[in-house]
Amino acid sequence: MSSPVEVRMIVNGTPRAGRCEPRKLLIDFLREELGLTGTHAGCEHGVCGACTILVDGVAARSCLMFAVQADGATLTTVEGLADGDELHPLQQAFHRHHALQCGFCTPGMLIAALDFLATNPEPSEAEIRDALSAVLCRCTGYQNIVKAVADAAEKMRAAGGAS
Amino acid sequence: MNDTAFVSTGQVGRSLPRVEARAKVTGTAEYIHNFRLPGMLIGKICRSTVPHGRIRHIDTSAAAAIPGVYAIVTGEDIRKIIPDPYYGPAFHDQPILALDKVRFVGEPVAVALAADPHIAENAARAITVEYDELPAVYDEVEAVTATAYVHDVLKPAGTFADLKHLVGRRQTNVALDFHLRRGDVEAEFAAADHVFAHEFRTQQVMHTPLEPFVSVAEAANGAVTIHTASQNPSFVRVEIARLLGLKENRVRVRTAFLGGGFGGKLYIKLEALVTALTLIAQRPVKVSLTMEEQFFTITRHPCTFRIKSAVTKDGRVTARKCEVYYNGGAYADIGPRVAQKSGFAAAGPYDIANVHIDSFETYTNRPPAGALRGFGTPQLVWAYESHTDLIARALSLDPVEFRRRNLLRDGRPQATGTVMRDAPLAAVLERAAAAIGWGQPFDRGSGPVKRGRGIAIGFKASISPTASVAIVNLSGDGSCTLYCGTVDMGQGSTTAMAQIAADCLGIEAETVRVIAADTDVTPYDMGTLGSRSTYHMGLAIQRAAADAKAKLAALAAELGVPEGTNLPIAELFRRKYGAQAGNIIGTGSFMPSHKSPDPQTGQTDDATPYWMSAATGCEVEVDTETGRFRILRLVNVADCGTAINPRIVETQLTGATVMQLGFTVYEGMEFTDGQLRNPSFAEYKIPGIRDMPARLEGEIVTSRQGGGPFGAKGVGESGTYAVSPAIANAIHDAVGVRISALPITAEKVYRALREAAGNPLPED
């Protein structure tokens, strides 16, 4: 066992710091040290995508990174999506379209969709399916998720690309 | 009281968004996955490496010496505090940790406790166990005659009258045999125009909820609290109280939202283990399984089904003989009930005068099997609808017309003798046929790529009899709190139950607060399983609301308020108490009537309170040069009575369809000598978003379930019933080959094509 090291990062716009062992996974650091339990650990080996977060603006699996690898990085988790009480258009769309059942994959789906719409604001259905293929859902059959992302994309475009 | 006397006030039937959706999209929804307690230890499990063996020695010294390890716990340590540490819903056959013997690879043998999960994990790996290996049995048919016995003696739970005859049976791997006899099948086979016999098999699969099994326990002052991702906290409470010799009121079991369940998180999974560990460690203990470990916890039964039918030349099925072998793995879990309660419907939704069913629950040296979205039914439908299709094709009858001719109609007795009521099987079949365009010309493909269509229909009885109790609480300001033990594992019960309560009370569903299952406050509920909650808990809520309304009326009368004044509830309380104060508590319970089947013949005129049905239509494209196939359309039609929330019902339906699609074409636990080769998402593939059929549709047949709350019934499992045979039937239609064992893979199709062409591929 190595001695703990200091880790600093900006999470959802707020500077955060903590001490952890070098082997501590980023997801465990977020959940246990920072109390951000909205990001869920599903398979813990990089397949299910439930733990997806943004690391310096790019979607990443927080179960496949050590916390120390995110030292100095800027992170976005599901807790950072809403603007106060105002839900992000993706959150509103998932809510409205019944794009969730158990909700365990939802944070990962939302972040994967956020990452995707940032690079492709006007996606086709096939492109949405392609982009979300990195996140598994065992409940919904995905249909409402696709509808929600398409609807959110439209709303975000109408709002002038603001997210 | 007449449950159907309620006139809807419009809350039932609304497709309102889920009441918990905001919490789920903001990451604030509570899951036991997130739950921690001060001073909590983490338990990591050391598991058996052999499929069947006597434990010779467990060496914990190296593990215990690792800095930071709190304790290493074995089955013998547990036996010191719980003298008979065996649990199970039907049989008390499963030890909390292995005792004397192990019965499958992956069985929990010892636990390492540490505050740091990494240290606990390292310690669990440092435990060494020596075994004397025993002969093992893996196949459900071989298990019946094998001389390797998984258990020395059968140990059915003493509380069930219908299991008493099994007590003390030795030298058998048959945990339970169910028999149904109606008419004389042998005479009919002898006289029939045609007799068809086939065998079908299904593979072992796992629920893989994305939130793996997780439980936390704490103990103090002679009482235990268990925080657990469980589908039936009431059962957990009763069973833990039994194991510890406590009264129920000393055991508290609470849940939160579940990250999926699908029948996996039923009965006892980790709850007995964390309870024993916290009693030994005198610290709170959490055990969270990994995705890999889930595969060693509970699965869906593999099944072999031998089916034989007598058919007249004009296409009437006059006799059917069913031999069903369920592979229950090393521990019974709810398997005996699967063999019984699904077994009696093994002949399918058809009007057949002579039926003979033998349904066996067998022990083998595999991970245990229990309930998985259908309680054994998808395995049955796979067989009888593949068989039905083969008969139709052999007799050159249209497969839909053949089914239509034999379908069980309302008012006719099912094989048990129970008369079928409110099961719109014909409507479900016709809607599925119409949706897939049955009978319409379609592009049959060209060159090596061929297209075909298939259809299948299945049905299931509600497991009976089971009880639900509900409490409706009206507070001083008139707001409503609903205490109900139904667990929301994603199916949307929180929303549906709020809608039922609100409709009865004439208030907005969004204003009802639903309290998640917590046995300290929510009353008894048998469990969230078998598509029972909408009907059973729905009726209990309806009765609780009626009770509250009666008490409100009595209060109004007491206060001299004339009937029909419609004074706000808050005003009634204010007049009574002189302030915003007080409560009105309405209670209600429901348990359907039921008559146990005759032990020899399986006959009963009251097998179930309701039947559920679904039909699937499929169009598939098969590449004859590779065996690869693509599902172009998958249409699933289910009967749900009245849809409490139509949008949620549709999501349930397509979600179940996709889950069963996975069990049909992707998923399968693969074993070599009892060793599971693919226990991870990297090697066990569940359907992803790109695996969806080009067109996936779900349709509801709205009907009215007599006796159900607002005419509703359950629908959580229905989408699974008929998917697998519909796909196999479509492949047969496209390229003329039959796959009889799940999963259906390109390799199997290609092998079958080569075989049919008289040029079989050599076996590997």
Side-chain angles (χ1 to χ4, degrees):
Chain A
M1 189 170 31
S2 313
S3 44
V5 292
E6 178 93 7
V7 179
R8 293 171 182 279
M9 48 187 78
I10 294 169
V11 185
N12 302 326
T14 306
R16 304 290 298 263
R19 291 179 70 76
C20 68
E21 282 184 53
R23 71 174 168 189
K24 186 136 194 140
L25 295 174
L26 179 55
I27 185 165
D28 294 335
F29 184 80
L30 290 170
R31 290 172 52 80
E32 293 166 14
E33 304 303 322
L34 304 187
L36 296 170
T37 53
T39 302
H40 300 143
C43 72
E44 296 178 279
H45 56 258
V47 182
C48 80
C51 65
T52 303
I53 63 168
L54 294 187
V55 178
D56 291 329
V58 179
R61 294 206 179 333
S62 60
C63 79
L64 293 186
M65 285 180 70
F66 294 114
V68 291
Q69 291 176 283
D71 188 33
T74 298
L75 311 185
T76 303
T77 69
V78 68
E79 289 92 344
L81 274 181
D83 182 6
D85 281 344
E86 177 76 12
L87 295 182
H88 186 279
L90 274 165
Q91 291 173 308
Q92 291 177 26
F94 270 60
H95 185 289
R96 190 166 54 245
H97 287 277
H98 289 246
L100 56 86
Q101 287 197 274
C102 84
F104 203 76
C105 74
T106 306
M109 281 286 180
L110 286 167
I111 297 291
L114 181 73
D115 172 63
F116 168 59
L117 293 183
T119 55
N120 186 348
E122 202 169 345
S124 67
E125 188 184 316
E127 287 169 335
I128 294 172
R129 287 182 180 272
D130 213 41
L132 297 184
S133 64
V135 187
L136 293 172
C137 169
R138 191 55 150 165
C139 297
T140 63
Y142 301 102
Q143 281 181 307
N144 292 344
I145 293 172
V146 176
K147 283 181 201 159
V149 174
D151 187 23
E154 198 181 313
K155 297 273 189 313
M156 287 161 72
R157 285 200 306 276
S163 55
Chain B
M1 187 186 58
N2 183 354
D3 289 309
T4 54
F6 277 95
V7 176
S8 174
T9 60
Q11 296 301 311
V12 160
R14 289 177 63 201
S15 282
L16 84 146
R18 292 160 173 269
V19 294
E20 84 287 9
R22 190 181 172 96
K24 284 180 176 173
V25 298
T26 53
T28 54
E30 191 200 358
Y31 299 90
I32 301 302
H33 179 59
N34 301 341
F35 188 75
R36 285 149 62 96
L37 286 167
M40 186 175 83
L41 299 171
I42 304 295
K44 291 285 179 183
I45 300 170
C46 163
R47 294 172 180 275
S48 169
T49 52
V50 302
H52 197 194
R54 298 213 171 272
I55 298 171
R56 199 190 316 147
H57 181 63
I58 303 175
D59 185 350
T60 61
S61 55
I66 293 174
V69 170
Y70 187 87
I72 308 295
V73 178
T74 66
E76 291 303 335
D77 297 324
I78 289 177
R79 188 137 58 180
K80 285 175 201 147
I81 58 156
I82 303 172
D84 189 25
Y86 291 88
Y87 62 84
F91 286 52
H92 294 160
D93 61 352
Q94 189 158 4
I96 296 173
L97 287 174
L99 286 168
D100 311 319
K101 254 176 87 163
V102 290
R103 296 180 174 87
F104 68 99
V105 172
E107 177 165 5
V109 174
V111 171
L113 290 172
D116 183 325
H118 299 289
I119 293 172
E121 195 174 347
N122 288 346
R125 288 194 189 131
I127 299 166
T128 53
V129 187
E130 289 170 46
Y131 303 97
D132 290 323
E133 282 205 55
L134 296 166
V137 59
Y138 308 113
D139 179 272
E140 59 272 16
V141 179
E142 287 170 16
V144 176
T145 50
T147 53
Y149 300 111
V150 181
H151 291 267
D152 298 334
V153 59
L154 297 189
K155 291 167 66 178
T159 46
F160 296 111
D162 64 325
L163 302 179
K164 279 207 175 107
H165 66 288
L166 299 167
V167 175
R169 270 194 197 174
R170 287 176 181 275
Q171 300 204 315
T172 181
N173 290 316
V174 177
L176 183 129
D177 50 324
F178 169 80
H179 308 285
L180 184 145
R181 301 287 182 267
R182 187 169 184 81
D184 185 347
V185 289
E186 296 306 332
E188 205 63 34
F189 287 139
D193 296 331
H194 305 279
V195 175
F196 298 90
H198 301 106
E199 179 179 301
F200 299 92
R201 301 192 67 142
T202 64
Q203 81 286 34
Q204 194 161 13
V205 294
M206 207 268 149
H207 317 65
T208 70
L210 288 191
E211 177 198 34
F213 299 94
V214 54
S215 300
V216 183
E218 52 184 320
N221 307 318
V224 177
T225 299
I226 305 165
H227 313 261
T228 180
S230 167
Q231 292 176 231
N232 56 351
S234 294
F235 175 84
V236 172
R237 174 154 88 156
V238 171
E239 188 71 342
I240 296 295
R242 180 186 69 79
L243 284 167
L244 300 182
L246 294 176
K247 290 293 182 190
E248 279 191 53
N249 64 2
R250 300 292 163 195
V251 180
R252 176 187 177 200
V253 182
R254 65 170 281 271
T255 64
F257 289 113
L258 267 54
F262 315 112
K265 294 172 178 171
L266 283 169
Y267 314 110
I268 299 292
K269 290 298 167 280
L270 299 171
E271 293 85 356
L273 179 61
V274 290
T275 300
L277 293 173
T278 198
L279 291 173
I280 289 169
Q282 295 293 309
R283 295 257 297 262
V285 174
K286 181 174 189 175
V287 176
S288 319
L289 296 191
T290 61
M291 192 59 74
E292 285 90 331
E293 287 180 293
Q294 296 207 92
F295 290 90
F296 301 110
T297 306
I298 195 71
T299 65
R300 177 186 271 180
H301 289 78
C303 178
T304 298
F305 189 162
R306 292 173 180 158
I307 184 167
K308 183 176 174 183
S309 296
V311 188
T312 65
K313 56 181 179 296
D314 61 344
R316 282 285 306 173
V317 181
T318 55
R320 182 162 282 181
K321 186 174 181 181
C322 308
E323 266 178 66
V324 187
Y325 300 88
Y326 285 108
N327 191 326
Y331 296 103
D333 197 81
I334 201 61
R337 294 307 186 200
V338 170
Q340 270 176 322
K341 304 280 182 178
S342 292
F344 74 66
Y350 298 110
D351 196 341
I352 306 172
N354 304 281
V355 178
H356 174 121
I357 297 169
D358 292 326
S359 179
F360 302 98
E361 167 75 6
T362 62
Y363 281 122
T364 64
N365 295 108
R366 294 211 207 190
L372 199 179
R373 214 164 191 175
F375 223 76
T377 297
Q379 295 97 312
L380 301 176
V381 186
W382 163 244
Y384 65 64
E385 282 301 90
S386 295
H387 177 67
T388 298
D389 218 64
L390 283 166
I391 297 171
R393 288 173 190 282
L395 298 179
S396 299
L397 291 169
D398 177 84
V400 171
E401 174 53 27
F402 177 54
R403 287 177 171 83
R404 201 178 274 141
R405 225 173 266 182
N406 287 285
L407 215 55
L408 193 60
R409 307 280 163 169
D410 248 44
R412 292 285 302 160
Q414 187 266 346
T416 53
T418 298
V419 172
M420 177 76 82
R421 301 261 182 233
D422 300 329
L425 286 161
V428 165
L429 178 66
E430 300 302 342
R431 278 280 285 281
I436 198 75
W438 195 264
Q440 310 288 321
F442 67 102
D443 177 6
R444 287 223 161 241
S446 55
V449 177
K450 308 290 186 200
R451 289 183 176 184
R453 286 177 175 170
I455 203 152
I457 183 166
F459 80 144
K460 176 179 177 287
S462 172
I463 315 296
S464 193
T466 66
S468 289
V469 185
I471 296 172
V472 164
N473 176 5
L474 301 175
S475 296
D477 62 357
S479 63
C480 171
T481 309
L482 174 63
Y483 297 84
C484 118
T486 297
V487 176
D488 201 330
M489 49 189 171
Q491 82 279 36
S493 59
T494 309
T495 308
M497 298 308 169
Q499 286 182 261
I500 290 172
D503 201 311
C504 298
L505 295 167
I507 57 178
E508 292 280 309
E510 292 90 329
T511 67
V512 176
R513 172 109 196 277
V514 182
I515 303 298
D518 176 344
T519 59
D520 261 12
V521 289
T522 51
Y524 179 85
D525 176 56
M526 185 269 186
T528 307
L529 61 92
S531 304
R532 65 175 292 281
S533 300
T534 299
Y535 186 94
H536 295 73
M537 184 57 80
L539 287 172
I541 291 170
Q542 217 174 48
R543 292 175 177 187
D547 186 39
K549 284 170 84 169
K551 286 173 175 162
L552 274 177
L555 177 60
E558 178 195 322
L559 297 170
V561 178
E563 265 185 66
T565 311
N566 282 333
L567 206 60
I569 296 170
E571 178 58 21
L572 276 180
F573 279 117
R574 203 193 55 75
R575 289 194 191 176
K576 167 78 175 175
Y577 297 105
Q580 183 176 324
N583 292 92
I584 278 184
I585 308 281
T587 63
S589 69
F590 175 75
M591 185 157 118
S593 65
H594 177 258
K595 200 187 284 179
S596 279
D598 178 274
Q600 269 77 47
T601 65
Q603 296 296 297
T604 168
D605 61 9
D606 193 2
T608 178
Y610 58 98
W611 301 87
M612 297 164 281
S613 59
T616 306
C618 176
E619 184 173 328
V620 73
E621 183 177 85
V622 186
D623 183 338
T624 55
E625 292 180 341
T626 63
R628 282 197 64 175
F629 56 93
R630 203 156 66 92
I631 294 163
L632 304 175
R633 278 188 76 188
L634 200 56
V635 182
N636 219 339
V637 178
D639 146 47
C640 66
T642 301
I644 302 292
N645 184 317
R647 197 70 196 278
I648 291 181
V649 172
E650 286 162 19
T651 312
Q652 275 284 72
L653 193 52
T654 50
T657 306
V658 168
M659 189 169 211
Q660 188 64 28
L661 174 69
F663 298 149
T664 306
V665 301
Y666 298 118
E667 300 174 43
M669 293 166 61
E670 295 165 9
F671 294 87
T672 301
D673 299 331
Q675 303 279 346
L676 180 59
R677 301 199 308 271
N678 59 339
S680 87
F681 269 0
E683 296 146 303
Y684 178 99
K685 180 175 168 45
I686 70 168
I689 198 166
R690 281 194 296 204
D691 302 317
M692 294 303 97
R695 287 173 68 186
L696 172 67
E697 294 148 59
E699 280 189 34
I700 309 167
V701 168
T702 305
S703 59
R704 190 169 180 85
Q705 176 60 48
F710 301 99
K713 68 172 98 172
V715 74
E717 301 160 306
S718 308
T720 66
Y721 302 160
V723 171
S724 307
I727 293 170
N729 294 345
I731 289 171
H732 192 148
D733 188 54
V735 294
V737 299
R738 174 61 50 174
I739 306 302
S740 58
L742 290 177
I744 307 170
T745 60
E747 181 181 335
K748 280 186 192 166
V749 173
Y750 185 62
R751 283 183 180 278
L753 285 164
R754 289 281 298 261
E755 176 103 29
N759 180 23
L761 276 178
E763 289 298 320
D764 290 333

